[in-house]
Amino acid sequence: MAAVTSVSFSAIAQSSSDRRAPFCTAARNFGFEGFRFRSSFSCHYVGVRASNSTSRMVIHCMSTSTDVPPTVAETKLNFLKAYKRPIPSIYNTVLQELIVQQHLMKYKKTYRYDPVFGLGFVTVYDQLMEGYPSDEDREAIFQAYIKALEEDPEKYIIDAKTLEEWARTQTPSSLVDFSSRDGEIEGILKDIAERAASGNFSYSRFFAVGLFRLLELSNTSEPTVLEKLCSALNIDKRSVDRDLDVYRGLLSKLVQARELLKEYVDREKKKQEERAESQKANETVAKCLGEPQFVGH
């Protein structure tokens, strides 16, 4: 006679988020909602007792679960592994904030990369890293950042360049009237509009910055054009306005921080020069005192 026992359980796995370093309100507001993933497991235990009083248990386990994303800590660690050199705190603080926020946004179920989003991120990154001491390091940091999020940095660069070139050839009217024309970028914008209309579009603040950049490159300054473009894309203009205000505030704070950093670097450079001159003078005096003195008879 066989006895069958079945045990099942479910567990909720939530991505952990590590403690954030303090930063300005504008940077914190440039964030995204959290998310949760659910996994379920079931195990069936089958016990069979034979006539010779020996027993044997066979365990059949089955697991069905969604793909478990990396944690925020793992994404940050991947970035640090990819770029091992120290980053000045003014840049590193904002980068750490952005990578946390972009991690949370990317692993939402509704996330899907699009070139306007890519343009927005590249724009934010370029503004953030403006004035970085080394162009080579700035590029290396960009590569490490995007790869830590398991995405392709070259795609971001190519898409941003393609959209920028396209926007420079547009007028306010042609920019808004994309749905009536054929073309690569027009097709991308149509796809965004269709997904937004059906509720399958994941709006983000990088997307808002991408829209702003398109308007900027097409020499569009009339506020009504942004309203019309948002309407054509089925995007809430109030969200775009709010996020652009946050973006402008962040840029303003970065400018102030860069000025303070420059003053600090200049002061330290001056101190080093003064110390070097003082050391040189001391060495000269010591050399003179150490030389034998000859007195003529």
Side-chain angles (χ1 to χ4, degrees):
M1 180 177 180
V4 179
T5 303
S6 176
V7 180
S8 65
F9 62 93
S10 64
I12 295 177
Q14 185 173 4
S15 66
S16 62
S17 59
D18 49 2
R19 190 171 301 173
R20 300 187 192 179
F23 187 60
C24 64
T25 303
R28 288 190 181 280
N29 287 342
F30 214 72
F32 306 90
E33 296 178 356
F35 53 93
R36 176 176 292 182
F37 290 83
R38 183 180 182 89
S39 300
S40 61
F41 305 85
S42 62
C43 292
H44 302 281
Y45 302 87
V46 182
V48 181
R49 184 175 297 275
S51 58
N52 60 3
S53 299
T54 61
S55 63
R56 181 182 180 186
M57 178 171 284
V58 180
I59 303 175
H60 299 285
C61 292
M62 179 176 65
S63 171
T64 58
S65 64
T66 57
D67 292 336
V68 178
T71 64
V72 172
E74 288 170 338
T75 295
K76 293 176 72 173
L77 182 60
N78 288 337
F79 172 67
L80 295 175
K81 286 180 178 178
Y83 188 80
K84 297 181 174 62
R85 300 185 63 181
I87 301 174
S89 59
I90 176 180
Y91 300 100
N92 190 49
T93 301
V94 187
L95 281 171
Q96 293 298 324
E97 287 286 337
L98 288 181
I99 202 168
V100 169
Q101 294 157 11
Q102 194 166 347
H103 172 101
L104 297 176
M105 176 273 302
K106 184 200 168 176
Y107 291 105
K108 288 173 63 176
K109 291 183 178 179
T110 55
Y111 171 75
R112 175 178 162 186
Y113 170 87
D114 66 75
V116 179
F117 169 91
L119 173 61
F121 175 78
V122 170
T123 300
V124 170
Y125 183 84
D126 287 346
Q127 291 288 341
L128 164 63
M129 302 298 283
E130 183 182 355
Y132 198 79
S134 167
D135 290 341
E136 182 179 349
D137 287 341
R138 181 172 57 188
E139 174 61 24
I141 292 170
F142 178 86
Q143 295 281 332
Y145 180 105
I146 300 299
K147 288 179 180 178
L149 291 161
E150 300 181 348
E151 292 191 322
D152 181 7
E154 296 305 319
K155 183 171 182 60
Y156 276 74
I157 295 171
I158 292 172
D159 286 347
K161 183 178 180 181
T162 301
L163 276 173
E164 287 175 345
E165 292 175 349
W166 176 82
R168 289 189 181 96
T169 66
Q170 302 303 305
T171 64
S173 58
S174 66
L175 189 64
V176 172
D177 196 31
F178 63 85
S179 61
S180 65
R181 305 195 317 274
D182 294 327
E184 179 185 1
I185 306 303
E186 288 82 358
I188 291 170
L189 297 177
K190 290 176 187 177
D191 178 65
I192 291 172
E194 290 173 1
R195 287 191 288 122
S198 63
N200 293 322
F201 177 72
S202 181
Y203 168 82
S204 72
R205 287 165 179 169
F206 289 128
F207 182 85
V209 176
L211 287 185
F212 176 78
R213 183 62 174 155
L214 291 178
L215 294 173
E216 185 179 42
L217 292 171
S218 63
N219 294 318
T220 300
S221 57
E222 300 87 351
T224 56
V225 177
L226 176 58
E227 182 177 359
K228 293 176 181 177
L229 182 58
C230 288
S231 177
L233 289 167
N234 298 309
I235 302 296
D236 182 10
K237 182 178 180 293
R238 290 173 299 179
S239 297
V240 174
D241 286 336
R242 180 193 63 231
D243 294 335
L244 290 180
D245 285 342
V246 173
Y247 172 62
R248 295 184 188 101
L250 177 61
L251 292 183
S252 177
K253 291 180 183 296
L254 284 172
V255 170
Q256 296 173 18
R258 287 193 196 103
E259 291 175 352
L260 292 175
L261 178 63
K262 185 177 183 301
E263 292 176 3
Y264 171 78
V265 171
D266 290 343
R267 285 198 305 270
E268 289 300 307
K269 184 178 180 180
K270 186 176 181 180
K271 288 179 182 179
Q272 289 178 0
E273 291 174 350
E274 291 174 349
R275 285 195 293 266
E277 290 176 359
S278 177
Q279 183 178 357
K280 184 177 180 181
N282 291 337
E283 291 174 353
T284 302
V285 171
K287 184 178 180 182
C288 291
L289 293 176
E291 290 180 350
Q293 302 296 317
F294 297 95
V295 180
H297 296 285

